[in-house]
């Protein structure tokens, strides 16, 4: 049986292992490219290692290109043509990124596990459309203030460096060049124009995404070889899996891309059009959710299953599910438009079903009676043990994440994943203020968006209940995480297994009556409490992680941390009594 030269077995798991080529070994950041393929099955590992090897070889080639670029002298001046090309490329990338976000979808539903079943998300993985709308105004307020006064700050310099490093641009500018300031102002204009496109799209207006810009001022080299979709798909998945996707995300995109190819056929990527997307959409509209588990459809090809389901008048999947699955396939075309020379357009652009539901209406905050029930449950008044949290007893598990995660959410509005992944060094102190540092700095830490990085002062009630005592305990135990007992799910998210526990808690209290009562409801409760406690919207947004990265980066440094602390001290839940927890902690 042939064996791939990069396939190795460690214990019962297969790994990809590649030595670094000699020509880049001295400068490459790793001594070898070794990582798990996530399987103990040889045949599956053999398929995965081929894809992984292609992705790693591309990384080697990219490193070689960077070395060549680094040896070139920096430019002392950018021409108007170069600045124009950079601006057009940046605008295209921003508008394309907005298009891809919309294709991925908004709201609370996502597809989980295989066979694919649509269920309400217990923790929001997709962006909230209301947040997405608010972000435009928040970013524009900052940008217009800076642009009007021709202010160029650290965030603008970071933006310029980032854009210059785009593969399509790949230009190096001397640190002393006068072009820095001119380019920064130009990119501020681009951001404002791109945000106007977002604003128009947010109201339902049709704004086309421009095609990728072609120009000789770019030193990057694209390739075009008329690849079949099946081949390009593997390159896409390999790249995304190395940099962005967890195994579950890879599986979902692969499954539905394969379904699309099986229905439409495997053609060169520039030969797909709206008719193909429309055909696939029509098939999805006839297909039930969880179709391959139904006795009537079991074992059928997806196209045959759709026809039979329609003949049997089976209930089709929801519109949200259809949009989600189209998003899996449509996301490929945004990536392909950047990575291939073909003049590609997205066949799925504008194909999603319009769903008119206010973002706020998709989830409910907990009522005051429901909050009272949660924090008067045995978990907080006395249970048998942390494991037997629903049975009355004399134990209050203050050394367990099940006790703390809802409390922290109540006083911060943070998502469950953001809380569970906290490291001990994320519990910080500055100027006498204790605060949570929410970040994705570690490999296992994830945030919803880049603007979710933020600092939140720790409310005095949490300190009185004993949170800092738990931090001391964990340090004395030699732990790294604040809640090491809360494990990561197989999909790479800490929130997934915790969501199952929290759902059982709500069900045990008779609270879980619909998909609107979920852990994310705490986030709405926090917002309502901020309003009731006269916390300004600006501060509430900063605490929630809404807004542009440069703005949120300012909070938590200097006097702004003090201001955040002053505001969060105002926060009160007047009708929720947790004094019994404070008494026991003293």
């Amino acid at each position: 049986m042939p064996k791939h030269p990069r396939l190795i077995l460690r214990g019962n798991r297969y790994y990809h292992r590649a030595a670094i080529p000699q020509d880049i070994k001295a400068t490459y950041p790793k001594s070898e490219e070794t990582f798990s393929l996530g399987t103990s099955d040889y045949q599956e590992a053999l398929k995965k290692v081929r894809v992984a090897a292609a992705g790693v070889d591309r990384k080697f080639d990219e490193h070689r290109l960077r070395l060549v670029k680094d040896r070139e002298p920096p430019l002392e001046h950018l021409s108007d043509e170069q600045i124009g090309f950079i601006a057009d490329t940046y605008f295209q990338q921003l508008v394309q990124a907005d298009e891809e976000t919309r294709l991925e979808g908004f709201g609370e539903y996502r597809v989980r596990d295989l066979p694919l079943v649509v269920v309400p998300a217990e923790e929001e993985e997709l962006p909230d459309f209301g947040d997405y709308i608010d972000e435009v105004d928040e970013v524009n307020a900052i940008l217009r203030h800076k642009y009007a006064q021709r202010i160029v700050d650290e965030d603008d310099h970071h933006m310029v460096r980032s854009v210059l490093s785009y593969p399509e641009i790949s230009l190096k500018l001397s640190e002393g060049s006068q072009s820095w300031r001119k380019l920064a102002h130009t990119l501020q204009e681009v951001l404002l124009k791109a945000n106007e496109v977002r604003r128009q799209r947010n109201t339902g207006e049709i704004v086309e995404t421009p095609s990728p810009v072609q120009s000789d001022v770019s030193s990057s080299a694209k390739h075009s070889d008329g690849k079949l979709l099946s081949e390009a798909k593997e390159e896409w998945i390999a790249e995304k899996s190395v940099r962005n996707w967890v195994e579950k995300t890879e599986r979902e995109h692969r499954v539905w891309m394969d379904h699309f190819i099986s229905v439409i056929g495997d053609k060169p990527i520039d030969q797909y059009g709206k008719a193909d997307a429309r055909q696939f959409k029509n098939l999805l509209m006839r297909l039930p959710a969880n179709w391959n588990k139904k006795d009537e459809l079991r074992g059928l090809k997806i196209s045959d299953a759709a026809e039979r389901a329609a003949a049997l008048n089976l209930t089709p999947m929801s519109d949200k599910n259809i949009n989600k699955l189209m998003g899996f396939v449509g996301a490929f075309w945004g990536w392909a438009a950047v990575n291939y020379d073909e003049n590609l357009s997205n066949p799925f652009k504008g194909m999603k079903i319009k769903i008119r539901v206010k973002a706020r209406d998709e989830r409910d905050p907990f009522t005051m009676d429901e909050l009272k029930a949660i924090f008067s449950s045995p978990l907080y008044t006395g249970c048998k043990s942390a494991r037997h949290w629903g049975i009355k007893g004399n134990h209050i598990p203050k050394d367990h994440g099940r006790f703390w995660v809802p409390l922290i959410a109540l006083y911060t509005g943070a998502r469950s994943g953001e809380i569970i992944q906290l490291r001990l060094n994320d519990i910080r102190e500055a100027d006498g203020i204790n605060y949570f540092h929410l970040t994705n700095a570690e490999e296992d830490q994830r945030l919803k968006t880049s603007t979710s990085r933020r600092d939140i002062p720790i409310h005095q009630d949490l300190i009185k209940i004993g949170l800092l005592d738990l931090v001391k305990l964990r340090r004395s135990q030699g732990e790294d995480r604040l809640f090491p007992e809360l494990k990561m799910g197989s999909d790479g998210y800490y929130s997934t297994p915790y969501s199952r526990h929290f759902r059982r808690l709500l069900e045990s209290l008779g609270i879980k009556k619909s998909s609107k009562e979920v852990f994310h409801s705490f986030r709405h409760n926090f917002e309502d409490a901020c309003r009731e406690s006269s916390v300004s919207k600006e501060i509430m947004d900063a605490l929630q992680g809404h807004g542009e990265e440069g703005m949120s980066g300012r909070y938590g440094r200097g006097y702004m941390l003090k201001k955040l602390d002053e505001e969060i001290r105002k926060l009160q839940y007047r009708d929720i009594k947790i004094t019994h927890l404070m008494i026991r902690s003293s």
Side-chain angles (χ1 to χ4, degrees), residues 25-244:
K25 191 171 185 179
T27 58
Y28 200 79
K30 297 180 181 179
S31 59
E32 62 181 21
E33 280 287 355
T34 301
F35 48 87
S36 173
L37 296 171
T39 182
S40 57
D41 180 83
Y42 177 79
Q43 293 298 331
E44 183 181 2
L46 196 58
K47 294 178 183 178
K48 286 190 171 185
V49 77
R50 291 168 182 155
V51 177
V56 170
D57 286 340
R58 279 195 299 275
K59 290 178 66 175
F60 292 158
D61 290 338
E62 290 167 2
H63 187 78
R64 291 185 180 98
L65 288 173
R66 283 195 296 271
L67 291 178
V68 172
K69 201 66 184 173
D70 289 343
R71 287 194 289 268
E72 296 177 2
L75 298 172
E76 295 297 331
H77 173 74
L78 293 176
S79 67
D80 290 341
E81 180 187 7
Q82 287 172 317
I83 290 178
F85 167 73
I86 294 167
D88 291 343
T89 300
Y90 188 37
F91 180 79
Q92 193 278 334
Q93 295 270 355
L94 290 172
V95 177
Q96 180 66 51
D98 174 71
E99 179 68 16
E100 291 178 6
T101 297
R102 295 173 194 274
L103 283 171
E104 286 293 325
F106 299 94
E108 71 181 45
Y109 284 83
R110 66 180 188 270
V111 180
R112 296 169 35 167
D113 305 325
L114 291 176
L116 292 171
V117 184
V118 175
V119 296
E122 298 296 334
E123 173 65 8
E124 193 171 51
E125 303 293 349
L126 297 175
D128 181 274
F129 190 57
D131 294 349
Y132 201 67
I133 291 175
D134 292 342
E135 186 178 280
V136 174
D137 293 333
E138 295 165 358
V139 173
N140 277 355
I142 295 169
L143 279 174
R144 292 189 184 283
H145 172 76
K146 292 198 300 184
Y147 185 73
Q149 302 181 56
R150 296 301 188 265
I151 296 172
V152 175
D153 60 16
E154 181 181 348
D155 290 334
D156 296 302
H157 279 280
H158 176 77
M159 174 175 62
V160 170
R161 287 189 177 90
S162 176
V163 173
L164 288 175
S165 70
Y166 282 9
E168 298 82 4
I169 299 171
S170 191
L171 295 174
K172 187 163 56 174
L173 185 61
S174 171
E175 288 296 323
S177 172
Q178 295 297 314
S179 295
W180 279 96
R181 190 171 185 85
K182 182 176 181 180
L183 183 55
H185 290 315
T186 301
L187 296 187
Q188 287 176 349
E189 294 175 2
V190 170
L191 275 171
L192 289 169
K193 292 176 182 177
N195 280 338
E196 178 60 18
V197 170
R198 285 179 57 184
R199 187 194 64 76
Q200 292 173 355
R201 287 175 170 177
N202 286 340
T203 62
E205 294 184 33
I206 300 173
V207 183
E208 295 290 329
T209 297
S211 300
V213 183
Q214 301 295 324
S215 173
D216 291 335
V217 302
S218 171
S219 62
S220 63
K222 295 182 181 179
H223 62 281
S224 173
D225 53 8
K227 282 186 179 293
L228 293 174
L229 179 56
S230 59
E231 298 171 331
K233 174 203 69 175
E234 293 299 330
E235 293 187 357
W236 172 56
I237 290 174
E239 178 181 315
K240 291 291 187 179
S241 298
V242 169
R243 291 168 172 80
N244 304 105

Side-chain angles (χ1 to χ4, degrees), residues 260-540:
F260 177 77
I261 293 172
S262 74
V263 172
I264 306 301
D266 193 12
K267 303 184 288 188
I269 57 176
D270 58 351
Q271 294 184 19
Y272 290 90
K274 285 285 186 184
D276 299 315
R278 187 165 55 253
Q279 180 181 344
F280 191 64
K281 175 182 178 180
N282 290 338
L283 178 145
L284 294 178
M285 293 174 69
R286 300 194 302 274
L287 199 66
N290 201 20
W291 62 274
N292 50 0
K293 271 193 167 183
K294 294 187 178 297
D295 292 337
E296 306 96 320
L297 310 178
R298 196 187 306 273
L300 296 178
K301 293 181 180 179
I302 188 171
S303 54
D304 295 335
E307 292 299 328
R308 181 157 178 76
L312 295 174
N313 200 27
L314 299 181
T315 302
M317 67 178 74
S318 69
D319 290 347
K320 286 187 177 181
N321 196 13
I322 293 170
N323 287 345
K324 177 67 175 179
L325 300 182
M326 286 196 296
F328 284 148
V329 182
F332 164 80
W333 301 99
W335 174 87
V338 174
N339 284 271
Y340 296 99
D341 280 340
E342 287 86 348
N343 185 20
L344 298 174
S345 60
N346 189 338
F348 286 89
K349 184 176 180 180
M351 295 290 288
K352 285 194 173 182
I353 300 170
K354 304 299 181 185
I355 302 173
R356 301 188 180 280
V357 180
K358 293 182 179 179
R360 175 75 185 197
D361 293 338
E362 293 185 352
R363 284 195 183 90
D364 287 337
F366 293 117
T367 67
M368 196 54 59
D369 286 341
E370 288 170 342
L371 286 176
K372 289 177 182 178
I374 292 170
F375 295 108
S376 298
S377 68
L379 186 61
Y380 296 98
T381 58
C383 57
K384 185 176 179 181
S385 66
R387 181 179 180 184
H388 300 288
W389 47 266
I391 303 175
K392 291 184 178 181
N394 298 319
H395 178 64
I396 297 182
K398 290 191 176 183
D399 59 347
H400 201 287
R402 287 177 177 171
F403 173 89
W404 282 106
V405 174
L407 280 170
I408 294 175
L410 188 69
Y411 285 98
T412 64
R415 302 170 178 89
S416 65
E418 295 174 332
I419 299 169
I420 297 168
Q421 68 188 14
L422 283 168
R423 295 291 206 277
L424 293 181
N425 59 13
D426 295 331
I427 312 299
R428 302 185 176 184
E429 186 270 335
D431 299 325
I433 299 171
N434 295 288
Y435 64 96
F436 298 106
H437 178 63
L438 299 188
T439 180
N440 58 354
E442 299 296 335
E443 186 176 351
D444 65 330
Q445 291 181 316
R446 301 178 182 277
L447 294 175
K448 178 183 171 185
T449 66
S450 60
T451 62
S452 297
R453 288 190 292 272
R454 61 198 188 277
D455 296 334
I456 306 178
I458 300 177
H459 195 282
Q460 289 301 301
D461 285 356
L462 295 177
I463 295 175
K464 291 176 183 178
I465 295 170
L467 180 61
L468 298 185
D469 294 334
L470 177 64
V471 173
K472 291 178 183 178
L473 174 64
R474 290 288 186 253
R475 286 181 176 143
S476 70
Q477 294 170 338
E479 296 286 356
D480 180 42
R481 290 177 52 218
L482 182 59
F483 303 120
E485 66 279 359
L486 298 181
K487 305 301 182 183
M488 179 184 288
S490 60
D491 59 356
Y493 292 90
Y494 285 113
S495 58
T496 300
Y498 179 79
S499 293
R500 289 192 288 268
H501 154 74
F502 190 72
R503 182 171 62 249
R504 290 194 297 269
L505 172 63
L506 296 185
E507 289 171 348
S508 71
L509 299 172
I511 294 175
K512 187 66 176 172
K513 303 180 183 69
S514 73
S515 62
K516 292 187 176 183
E517 292 92 6
V518 293
F519 190 90
H520 198 80
S521 298
F522 282 124
R523 197 161 166 86
H524 292 301
N525 285 117
F526 178 78
E527 292 177 352
D528 290 343
C530 282
R531 297 184 189 97
E532 290 294 321
S533 303
S534 300
V535 175
S536 70
K537 183 181 186 303
E538 178 187 22
I539 297 297
M540 181 176 73

